[in-house]
């Protein structure tokens, strides 16, 4: 009988040879993963449009770079306000306040002179397109400021007739003057999360969204609940602006662990009771694996409304919103409340410190994906035991993204029923959702398939019996 499997430890020839060298402390991390706060060379790639350049660093380099990361610390706020005062937001040609966003025209349209225009692209208008590798500390667009929950109403003085109009800014950002009927708008970035830095306007029409929803449900009607099929009305779809944080990151990632390379594989057959069983063994070389590289992350999106937090789907299937990404956030324009007219919008209620753990975990996921092509030689895989990202600099921007949203709650189950959502990306038409299913239908199908499998097994068994 062959000898029992053995494993011989080795060092990864591409990794530094300081076995057991400590990782410098001081970085943010999740769980057991120490996340070193050091800076690396600025020769990395980017996520969403680039790659990551792999390099290695010694323990002495780690310590020196950790101090450099501390020197880079600091916050910078970029003012993204429009400069307009609250009140009348007029057409640049005729001065009318009757302005709305037209999806076919993909522009703001004046209701009087039919003038069409768009606000400037936010990245270019506010200098948010600077090179990611130059980011140091934290750059915050002014729309990402912490939220004041006590700010719910604002009183506007109409510049047309002098009347005072009270707006509940937690519910709407525009209102008509009750005397002269002109439209008054909130243009300043009030700190209640309702006014972002930028808006990504709709490009998909309501009719196109209804077609996508009908197609999505049609492919799932066979197992849909009968009550859902009778109550399904896709015309109830609503255009909603969902708040997201868009994050750029200049990072240094470090992953440490062990990898295995198979050297021998063999099978041992032994008797257990009256039967014989076969067991497969392998011998493997075990390597210390270490990867350290700079990483640039471009336009990472993260939810900033707790209502649509993908981690909580106990009461509704809101996790489907992430499945309709990506959004071309680089095309987002400077905020103008007229883009929201005719649509609903969800107010941001999460601050940066509420989502930074989620952002860090996504940074780590990107780092693991970037390291994967460099560990293909380890045919039995690599187990990362220590991993972390050191943040040289980040840039945060609050953006409204467009979603056509259909929701369904089972009328027979009342208020506590699970709310099913079907979402359509308002830019590219990506569609995802959930449809309530009929459990008896699924059970019947499983029984039918099980019966067929049993019959086939019986036929094959009798065939072998007669052939032998």
């Amino acid at each position: 009988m062959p000898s029992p499997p053995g494993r011989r430890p080795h060092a990864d020839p591409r990794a530094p040879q300081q076995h057991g060298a400590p990782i410098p402390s001081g970085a943010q991390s999740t769980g057991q993963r120490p996340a070193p706060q050091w800076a690396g060379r600025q020769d990395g790639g980017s996520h969403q449009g680039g790659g990551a350049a792999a390099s290695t660093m010694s323990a002495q380099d780690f310590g020196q770079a950790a101090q450099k990361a501390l020197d880079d610390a600091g916050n910078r706020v970029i003012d993204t306000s429009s400069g307009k005062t609250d009140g009348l937001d007029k057409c640049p040609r005729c001065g009318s306040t009757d302005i709305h966003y037209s999806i076919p025209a993909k522009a703001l349209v004046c209701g009087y002179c039919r003038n069409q225009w768009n606000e400037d692209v936010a990245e270019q208008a506010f200098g948010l397109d600077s090179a990611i590798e130059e980011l140091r500390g934290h750059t915050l667009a002014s729309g990402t400021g912490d939220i004041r929950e006590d700010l719910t109403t604002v009183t506007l003085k109409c510049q047309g007739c002098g009347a005072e109009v009270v707006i509940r800014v937690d519910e709407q950002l525009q209102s008509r003057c009750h005397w002269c009927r002109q439209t008054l708008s909130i243009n300043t970035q009030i700190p209640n999360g309702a006014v972002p830095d930028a808006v990504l306007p709709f490009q998909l029409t309501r009719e196109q969204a209804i077609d996508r929803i009908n197609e999505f449900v049609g492919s799932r009607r066979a197992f849909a609940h009968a009550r859902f099929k009778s109550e399904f009305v896709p015309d109830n779809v609503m255009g909603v602006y969902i708040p997201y944080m868009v994050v750029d990151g200049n990072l240094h990632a470090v992953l440490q662990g062990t990898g295995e390379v198979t050297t021998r594989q063999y099978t041992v057959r032994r008797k257990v009771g009256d039967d014989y069983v076969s067991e497969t063994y392998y011998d493997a070389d075990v390597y210390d694996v270490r990867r350290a590289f700079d990483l640039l992350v471009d336009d990472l999106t993260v939810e900033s409304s707790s209502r649509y937090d993908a981690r909580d789907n106990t009461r509704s299937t809101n996790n489907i919103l992430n499945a309709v990404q990506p959004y071309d956030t680089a095309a987002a324009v400077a905020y103008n409340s007229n883009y929201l007219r005719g649509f609903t919008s969800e107010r941001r209620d999460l601050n940066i410190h509420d989502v930074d753990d989620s952002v860090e975990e996504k940074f780590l996921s990107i780092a693991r994906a970037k390291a994967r092509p460099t560990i293909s030689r380890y045919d039995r895989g690599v187990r990362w035991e220590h991993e972390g990202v050191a943040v040289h600099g980040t840039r945060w921007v609050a953006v409204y993204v467009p979603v056509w949203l259909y929701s369904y709650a089972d009328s027979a189950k009342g208020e506590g029923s699970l709310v099913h959502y079907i979402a359509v990306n308002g830019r590219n038409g990506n569609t995802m959702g959930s449809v309530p299913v009929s459990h008896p239908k699924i059970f019947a199908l499983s029984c039918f398939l099980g019966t067929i499998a049993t019959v086939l097994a019986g036929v094959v068994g009798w065939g072998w019996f007669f052939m032998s």
Side-chain angles (χ1 to χ4, degrees):
M1 179 180 295
S3 58
R7 305 201 304 176
R8 300 186 295 278
H10 291 274
D12 183 352
R14 289 181 289 178
Q17 298 301 312
Q18 289 82 6
H19 297 285
I23 298 178
S25 59
Q28 298 177 350
S29 65
T30 56
Q32 298 290 327
R33 297 185 294 267
Q37 286 278 7
W38 55 79
R41 297 191 304 273
Q42 306 307 314
D43 56 357
S46 64
H47 176 246
Q48 271 186 238
S55 62
T56 58
M57 297 180 69
S58 67
Q60 183 178 4
D61 293 334
F62 290 166
Q64 293 173 350
Q67 183 58 47
K68 186 176 186 302
L70 294 177
D71 296 339
D72 289 339
N75 291 346
R76 184 168 72 99
V77 177
I78 295 179
D79 184 10
T80 61
S81 61
S82 64
K84 302 175 184 177
T85 58
D86 293 332
L88 301 182
D89 195 352
K90 299 180 179 181
C91 168
R93 176 184 292 175
C94 71
S96 168
T97 61
D98 184 11
I99 302 167
H100 68 279
Y101 177 70
S102 169
I103 296 179
K106 295 181 175 57
L108 294 173
V109 179
C110 174
Y112 281 87
C113 69
R114 312 308 297 172
N115 181 34
Q116 298 183 10
W117 76 98
N118 274 304
E119 298 292 342
D120 295 333
V121 174
E123 282 192 355
Q124 302 166 6
F126 305 119
L128 299 171
D129 55 351
S130 60
I132 297 176
E133 60 267 24
E134 297 175 359
L135 291 177
R136 294 294 183 273
H138 301 293
T139 301
L140 313 177
S142 55
T144 64
D146 284 353
I147 295 168
R148 281 181 50 191
E149 296 293 346
D150 60 331
L151 187 57
T152 58
T153 60
V154 171
T155 301
L156 299 183
K157 190 177 184 66
C158 176
Q159 295 98 324
C161 66
E164 292 189 344
V165 179
V166 177
I167 297 180
R168 289 190 59 86
V169 291
D170 56 342
E171 297 177 357
Q172 58 184 358
L173 297 174
Q174 285 187 330
S175 180
R176 282 191 178 275
C177 173
H178 48 274
W179 290 106
C180 67
R181 307 304 294 166
Q182 296 200 77
T183 301
L184 306 180
S185 303
I186 297 293
N187 297 315
T188 57
Q189 288 178 333
I190 50 177
N192 76 333
V195 181
D197 300 296
V199 178
L200 189 61
F202 279 85
Q203 286 192 342
L204 208 71
T205 65
R206 185 171 181 274
E207 291 71 23
Q208 290 172 318
I210 291 174
D211 290 342
R212 301 294 177 99
I213 293 172
N214 272 322
E215 181 182 351
F216 180 86
V217 173
S219 63
R220 293 160 175 79
R221 292 186 72 89
F223 297 102
H225 198 285
R227 192 159 43 246
F228 170 78
K229 290 192 285 188
S230 64
E231 296 177 347
F232 174 62
V233 183
D235 289 355
N236 291 339
V237 66
M238 295 181 62
V240 184
Y241 280 104
I242 305 294
Y244 272 77
M245 292 279 197
V246 179
V247 188
D248 297 335
N250 178 15
L251 320 167
H252 184 78
V254 172
L255 307 172
Q256 296 180 349
T258 56
E260 296 183 4
V261 177
T262 303
T263 58
R264 184 169 66 123
Q265 182 172 319
Y266 50 91
T267 301
V268 175
R269 183 177 173 83
R270 61 188 181 90
K271 188 173 183 180
V272 179
D274 295 332
D275 299 323
Y276 284 91
V277 297
S278 297
E279 296 178 337
T280 301
Y281 292 89
Y282 71 93
D283 292 343
D285 289 342
V286 182
Y287 293 86
D288 291 330
V289 182
R290 187 177 301 179
R291 295 290 182 266
F293 50 89
D294 291 342
L295 184 66
L296 306 181
V297 178
D298 184 21
D299 287 354
L300 174 68
T301 54
V302 59
E303 308 94 336
S304 56
S305 170
S306 57
R307 178 180 177 185
Y308 296 110
D309 189 345
R311 294 169 295 183
D312 181 15
N313 56 7
T314 55
R315 299 179 61 184
S316 61
T317 58
N318 50 18
N319 55 326
I320 54 94
L321 285 177
N322 279 334
V324 301
Q325 293 193 52
Y327 296 98
D328 53 334
T329 52
V333 297
Y335 169 77
N336 183 319
S337 60
N338 290 304
Y339 283 106
L340 279 55
R341 192 171 184 178
F343 304 97
T344 62
S345 60
E346 186 75 17
R347 183 175 66 90
R348 174 175 70 89
D349 59 3
L350 297 177
N351 295 315
I352 288 177
H353 62 78
D354 296 319
V355 300
D356 57 0
D357 285 345
S358 174
V359 169
E360 180 192 354
E361 186 57 43
K362 291 184 178 183
F363 283 164
L364 281 171
S365 296
I366 295 169
R368 296 185 200 108
K370 291 299 183 184
R372 194 171 298 126
T374 72
I375 58 174
S376 58
R377 66 183 293 262
Y378 302 101
D379 59 347
R380 292 199 58 84
V382 172
R383 181 176 65 253
W384 299 121
E385 297 164 350
H386 303 285
E387 53 187 5
V389 289
V391 179
H392 305 317
T394 57
R395 178 165 51 214
W396 298 73
V397 182
V399 178
Y400 270 151
V401 300
V403 177
W404 289 105
L405 202 60
Y406 172 83
S407 62
Y408 171 80
D410 193 336
S411 60
K413 294 184 178 180
E415 240 177 80
S417 65
L418 180 70
V419 178
H420 293 267
Y421 286 110
I422 301 175
V424 181
N425 187 314
R427 299 285 291 187
N428 57 32
N430 288 346
T431 306
M432 182 52 66
S434 68
V435 173
V437 297
S438 171
H439 294 287
K441 287 183 180 179
I442 295 177
F443 178 73
L445 177 65
S446 61
C447 291
F448 175 71
L449 294 177
T451 302
I452 291 178
T454 302
V455 171
L456 290 176
V459 171
V460 172
W462 280 105
W464 280 107
F465 175 77
F466 287 115
M467 288 177 63
S468 60

